[in-house]
């Protein structure tokens, strides 16, 4: 920071302190304050939505990787002669395909239609934030010079040229502030109003992308499910094979009857 920039920073900090204790008047612009409030809400919610949307994709990738690890482990429990050996192989092939689709189709489509548009919206915020910071600096400069002008008007200086000079500096500072302020008051509503037409397509793509992936995953796992149908019926009626719940309970009972378990 240059020496000139440092002096301006110190001067503006002094103005803020004096305004906070009521020793200097502070310009209040309710119209801008309302627009800034709307902008901050949009900024916060958009950034959160982008984080959560990215988290969903990361979670799906983590899930498909975990499924693959489960499938590899399950596959070790069965061989070709096992009744469910083919089901284990089917499951492994199904989750491998799901992982491949998650890395290619889902990842590509989701990034193009959801993450990239949200990312581009978020990229607008730094420019607006810089403009808001610039406005605040110009406002502090104006308030300081306006305070000086008022003091000179109330208590004239021995130098007759001092008040006109201070008034001219105040007017110039007011013009600089008004220019930045007017631009923000005009542009912030446009950005906020664009959120619906901008985000609607991404929201639709979000739903359709998830639906497509989940439907494909359901179809693959449904093929594997059929291998369990013979032994996973409702059960309970005379002459019918026990359902899956009954089979699990039967195996647990056998484990309880083992000597090492019963002696525990």
């Amino acid at each position: 920071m240059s020496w000139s920039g440092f002096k301006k920073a110190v001067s503006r900090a002094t103005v803020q302190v004096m305004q906070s204790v009521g020793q200097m008047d502070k310009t209040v612009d309710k119209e801008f304050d309302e627009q800034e409030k709307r902008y901050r809400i949009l900024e916060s919610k958009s950034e959160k939505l982008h984080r959560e949307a990215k988290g969903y994709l990361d979670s799906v990738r983590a899930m498909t990787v975990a499924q693959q690890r489960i499938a590899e482990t399950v596959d070790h429990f069965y061989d070709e002669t096992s009744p469910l050996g083919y089901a284990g192989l089917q499951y492994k092939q199904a989750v491998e395909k799901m992982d491949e689709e998650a890395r290619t189709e889902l990842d590509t489509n989701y990034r193009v239609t959801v993450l990239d548009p949200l990312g581009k919206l978020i990229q607008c915020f730094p420019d607006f934030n810089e403009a808001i910071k610039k406005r605040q600096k110009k406002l502090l400069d104006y308030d300081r010079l306006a305070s000086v002008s008022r003091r000179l008007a109330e208590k004239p200086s021995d130098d007759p040229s001092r008040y006109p000079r201070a008034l001219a500096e105040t007017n110039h500072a007011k013009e600089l502030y008004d220019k930045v302020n007017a631009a923000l008051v005009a542009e912030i509503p446009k950005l906020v109003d664009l959120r619906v037409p901008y985000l609607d397509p991404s929201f639709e793509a979000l739903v359709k992308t998830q639906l497509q992936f989940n439907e494909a995953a359901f179809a693959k796992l449904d093929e594997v499910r059929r291998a369990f149908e013979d032994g996973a019926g409702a059960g309970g009626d005379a002459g019918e094979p026990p359902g899956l719940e009954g089979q699990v309970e039967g195996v647990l009972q056998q484990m309880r009857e083992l000597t090492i378990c019963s002696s525990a």
Side-chain angles (χ1 to χ4, degrees):
M1 180 184 294
S2 65
W3 176 248
S4 175
F6 175 75
K7 289 194 297 182
K8 286 183 178 180
V10 172
S11 176
R12 289 162 180 160
T14 302
V15 171
Q16 288 181 306
V17 172
M18 294 179 67
Q19 288 178 337
S20 67
V21 297
Q23 293 186 5
M24 183 181 293
D25 291 339
K26 180 179 181 180
T27 300
V28 177
D29 187 336
K30 293 184 178 179
E31 182 181 11
F32 172 80
D33 291 343
E34 179 62 26
Q35 295 302 334
E36 184 184 20
K37 181 180 178 180
R38 296 179 65 202
Y39 166 74
R40 293 304 179 190
I41 292 174
L42 174 66
E43 179 185 33
S44 174
K45 290 186 176 180
S46 297
E47 290 177 346
K48 181 179 180 180
L49 179 59
H50 186 258
R51 288 194 304 270
E52 298 298 342
K54 185 177 182 299
Y56 165 77
L57 185 59
D58 293 340
S59 297
V60 171
R61 290 290 297 113
M63 178 192 69
T64 58
V65 171
Q67 283 179 314
Q68 280 190 293
R69 291 172 179 167
I70 292 173
E72 291 173 357
T73 304
V74 168
D75 189 50
H76 294 157
F77 284 91
Y78 300 110
D79 55 32
E80 295 179 356
T81 61
S82 173
L84 292 180
Y86 182 61
L89 177 61
Q90 277 187 307
Y91 178 68
K92 183 178 180 181
Q93 292 174 343
V95 297
E96 287 176 349
K97 185 63 176 177
M98 289 168 59
D99 181 72
E100 179 184 350
E101 291 177 354
R103 287 185 290 105
T104 55
E105 297 178 16
L106 175 66
D107 190 281
T108 301
N109 294 338
Y110 194 80
R111 289 185 184 280
V112 171
T113 60
V114 179
L115 292 182
D116 288 352
L118 288 175
K120 290 177 181 177
L121 175 62
I122 290 174
Q123 287 175 0
C124 296
F125 297 149
D127 292 336
F128 275 84
N129 289 333
E130 284 301 316
I132 291 173
K133 289 180 182 178
K134 182 178 180 180
R135 174 195 177 276
Q136 178 63 14
K137 291 177 181 178
K138 298 302 180 184
L139 179 58
L140 291 173
D141 292 342
Y142 165 68
D143 283 345
R144 177 178 61 82
L145 292 170
S147 178
V148 172
S149 296
R150 280 192 295 270
R151 287 201 306 269
L152 289 173
E154 296 169 358
K155 186 178 181 180
S157 170
D158 295 336
D159 182 358
S161 65
R162 188 175 177 186
Y163 175 68
R165 188 168 61 250
L167 191 60
E169 291 177 351
T170 300
N171 291 335
H172 180 63
K174 182 71 162 54
E175 290 176 2
L176 294 177
Y177 160 71
D178 284 343
K179 183 178 180 180
V180 179
N181 186 68
L184 284 169
V185 170
E187 293 301 321
I188 288 178
K190 294 179 183 178
L191 177 66
V192 174
D193 292 341
L194 279 173
R195 72 192 186 282
V196 174
Y198 191 87
L199 294 177
D200 278 359
S202 292
F203 177 50
E204 181 180 356
L206 171 71
V207 174
K208 289 183 176 179
T209 301
Q210 291 183 14
L211 177 62
Q212 181 181 4
F213 176 76
N214 290 331
E215 284 181 338
F218 175 81
K220 293 178 180 63
L221 294 177
D222 192 51
E223 288 291 329
V224 182
R225 180 189 61 82
R226 296 176 185 176
F228 301 95
E229 285 182 347
D230 291 340
D237 293 337
E240 290 188 5
L244 181 58
E245 183 178 351
Q247 292 184 44
V248 172
E249 183 59 33
V251 172
L252 290 175
Q253 183 58 37
Q254 292 179 43
M255 293 175 63
R256 296 188 193 102
E257 293 172 357
L258 294 175
T259 304
I260 192 171
C261 294
S262 59
S263 63

